[in-house]
Amino acid sequence: MADQAPAAQRRWRAACPNCGAPVEFASAASASAVCGFCRSTLLRDGETLSRIGQSAEIFDDYSPLQLGATGRWMGQGFAVVGRLQRGSELGPWNEWHLLFDSGGEVPRVAWLSEDNGQFVLSLEAPLAERPAEAPGVGLPITVAGQRWQVAAVVNAALRAAEGELPRPPRAGRVLELRNPQGEVGTLEFGDDGAPIWSIGRAVQLAELALQGLRTTAAGESVAEARFAGRSIACPSCGAPLQPQLSQARSMVCAQCHALVDLPDGDAKALGFVPQSPGAPPLIPLGRTGTLALPGGQPESWTVVGYQERCDLPEDAEDEQSFWREYLLFNRLAGFAFLVDTREGWSIVRTLTGAPAVTRGGISWQGRDYAQRWAYAAKTTHVLGEFYWPVRLDDRVQIVDYLSADGQALLSREQQGPEVTWSGGRPVPAGIVQQAFGVSAPVAQFSRDASAFANGGRLLRQLVIAIVLILLLFMLLRACSSDDCQQYRDSFGENSNEYRQCRANSRGSGVYVGNSGGSYGGYSSGGGGHK
């Protein structure tokens, strides 16, 4: 039996063969659905439904999206009709199936997916020939006549599904590709080996004119409300952990400071790593401030996570550099990073695409960048929650790039099967302090990113700076009993910088700083595939 919808699309309804509940298809292109009552996975063949499996319960992740929500993109209306919850070693993610108003034609398959704390809207496209095997993460590949970079290669598991889907849900190997045009390409391989190809771009939920978002009991949009979260016992001390982010995959116990891996759903915590209390961050967790991302408008951001990182010098005699990253969250805009280094503050976000390689470095959105440093780094201390599984001593390879005018930063970070690009700009320390209402000692917030503005004269100024630093520390040693007073004033007595300085001073009598890798670390950390 069939019902005629007010729109041009034909809606088709039948009874679930397992429980008898009504199952509706809004699109003739949809071949599968999940019964909302018994969770049976159903296959549509003409006007016949057959049960082919069972779907797990959807994990209630407090996303503002839900089935039935509507919106507009590129002048076309759409409805959210289905969802997949998937996961890999990089973390879990959602893929929302969108049905566009196609004016009576068979609509193209569209998805709204999570991508490293942001959202990507993708359309499936035909693929004339099977692409060659992926050459490896970070290397180039040609698909559909276009050049891409391989950003990730993962085995994507199917966690759960709901609603109307273009095909029966399945697990499989996924290749994530990116290009200089800011696009994300996805090749998904199933058991039959035939790849499914889609191309997407980053979108802001606020730009999609969304209607019918989820609401709280009081009627307030989930996009604006703070939810209660799920409660899990800390595996170290037993104290209750209550994540405030639905995306949280790691968090720190407020009582014993253990770093805990969080599971999906209400299962017990997966494990923990003990860590000692460190110096408190300059910006407290939970503090909200208004900042503008590069090329964007000012938005409200909440500090939900904090991590300290350092580089790993190749030579034991080289000094280690330390920096701090604040994870910022906005429910509609996603995630961003506020990074505090010796050279100043910067606001950073992961890129959807990937820069093009040039003879002199790389190019992104019409701007050229030169490589500044390449180094290994690790995580030394964490607080709060993170949307990817953060672990102490996580090690990554980072390459930092700087534009000629010093006003734009890019970073390439590789960890395991994924390469993540991020970009940002310097932010004056006073703006940061004012935005988050922090009353800290002036010395701690007065580090500006003035060094970024001298990208064209880095080598000469670096030599001059080293000479001046040598002279400065000789004078300080002559008139002060503490060679590391400036590190104590700027970072605190318990900071890694001050402790490292004291250790070096005891060993050699003179402490000489260098900038190797010091602003590196404004990179994104990690993240899930989509």
Side-chain angles (χ1 to χ4, degrees), residues 367-368 402-409 424-426 449-456:
R367 184 178 298 205
D368 293 330
L402 183 66
S403 63
D405 62 3
Q407 295 305 305
L409 322 169
R425 62 174 177 82
S450 57
F452 293 141
N454 301 314

Side-chain angles (χ1 to χ4, degrees), residues 56 93 143 151 233 235 311 382 393 401 413:
W93 66 90
V143 179
D311 65 352
V382 295
D393 207 39
Y401 297 85
E413 183 170 322

Side-chain angles (χ1 to χ4, degrees), residues 163-188:
E164 182 177 337
L165 302 167
R167 66 189 69 87
R170 64 181 185 177
R173 190 167 62 97
V174 173
L175 272 64
E176 184 184 276
L177 315 177
R178 300 176 186 269
N179 67 18
Q181 288 73 48
E183 296 175 324
V184 176
T186 303
L187 278 170
E188 181 181 341

Side-chain angles (χ1 to χ4, degrees), residues 44-262:
R44 177 184 175 184
D45 184 9
E47 294 193 0
T48 302
L49 282 182
S50 57
R51 184 176 184 269
I52 60 174
Q54 184 83 13
S55 175
E57 288 287 340
I58 287 285
F59 168 55
D60 192 4
D61 62 1
Y62 297 89
S63 169
L65 296 171
Q66 65 176 350
L67 298 189
T70 60
R72 294 191 65 82
W73 183 68
M74 302 291 288
Q76 268 191 304
F78 66 83
V80 180
V81 297
R83 171 165 61 162
L84 296 176
Q85 286 187 337
R86 312 185 73 180
S88 73
E89 62 267 40
L90 300 178
W93 66 90
N94 283 317
E95 297 178 2
W96 296 88
H97 180 210
L98 307 183
L99 177 61
F100 277 87
D101 181 6
S102 60
E105 300 179 359
V106 176
R108 293 180 65 180
V109 178
W111 299 92
L112 182 60
S113 306
E114 298 169 5
D115 180 77
N116 280 320
Q118 301 183 57
F119 292 93
V120 167
L121 199 155
S122 301
L123 296 174
E124 292 188 4
L127 198 58
E129 58 184 20
R130 181 187 176 95
E133 188 68 20
V137 174
L139 297 178
I141 185 176
T142 300
V143 179
Q146 191 172 359
R147 202 66 167 165
W148 302 80
Q149 291 183 31
V150 179
V153 181
V154 299
N155 292 314
L158 176 66
R159 303 286 176 83
E162 67 174 340
E164 182 177 337
L165 302 167
R167 66 189 69 87
R170 64 181 185 177
R173 190 167 62 97
V174 173
L175 272 64
E176 184 184 276
L177 315 177
R178 300 176 186 269
N179 67 18
Q181 288 73 48
E183 296 175 324
V184 176
T186 303
L187 278 170
E188 181 181 341
F189 297 86
D191 295 334
D192 57 1
I196 299 170
W197 172 240
S198 62
I199 303 177
R201 286 183 174 274
V203 294
Q204 298 287 331
L205 293 186
E207 299 172 356
L208 298 180
L210 290 166
Q211 301 290 327
L213 296 177
R214 294 181 60 187
T215 58
T216 65
E220 185 181 11
S221 170
V222 173
E224 303 296 335
R226 185 177 182 86
F227 60 89
R230 60 195 193 275
S231 181
I232 304 170
C234 173
S236 174
C237 69
L241 304 175
Q242 291 187 320
Q244 297 302 304
L245 287 175
S246 61
Q247 301 94 329
R249 298 298 167 246
S250 296
M251 72 175 298
V252 175
C253 175
Q255 179 166 304
C256 69
H257 302 279
L259 177 58
V260 181
D261 293 333
L262 298 181

Side-chain angles (χ1 to χ4, degrees), residues 36 69 428 488 499:
R488 184 177 184 177
R499 293 174 181 173

